[in-house]
Amino acid sequence: FKHGVEKSSTRVAIRIEAARAGDELRVSICNSGALSAGVSGIGLRNCRERLDVMFGAKARLDLVSKNGEVVARVMIPYEKHTP
């Protein structure tokens, strides 16, 4: 969210959600505002490359505009770890 809201002169609401959906963990970071043009910057590319290294095709990072918010959604495999 840093590049999307750091220069905003208005108050920005940020919400983080996480949930398990079957064999997947879904984490969403939402902020009020609009999606900027050219949303394929270095930061997004780096995050996608790191997810690919860690999880391969089982991971995904999507960036969408939904209901007046910008939503970054990360999906990774859910793995239960026992102590």
Side-chain angles (χ1 to χ4, degrees):
F1 69 91
K2 177 183 173 184
H3 298 287
V5 301
E6 70 182 346
K7 294 180 182 178
S8 178
S9 60
T10 61
R11 176 176 259 174
V12 176
I14 297 171
R15 187 177 73 256
I16 300 171
E17 302 171 346
R20 179 180 169 197
D23 62 349
E24 192 173 66
L25 176 63
R26 297 178 182 175
V27 179
S28 297
I29 300 98
C30 315
N31 66 269
S32 55
L35 194 57
S36 302
V39 293
S40 58
I42 292 171
L44 287 171
R45 185 176 69 231
N46 286 345
C47 288
R48 287 183 175 119
E49 288 174 1
R50 288 178 188 169
L51 287 169
D52 186 54
V53 166
M54 293 175 69
F55 303 104
K58 295 179 180 180
R60 206 168 75 235
L61 168 61
D62 297 328
L63 188 64
V64 297
S65 182
K66 181 180 176 184
N67 299 328
E69 292 184 317
V70 177
V71 181
R73 208 174 276 133
V74 177
M75 283 78 60
I76 59 173
Y78 176 82
E79 297 177 15
K80 185 176 182 179
H81 295 278
T82 55

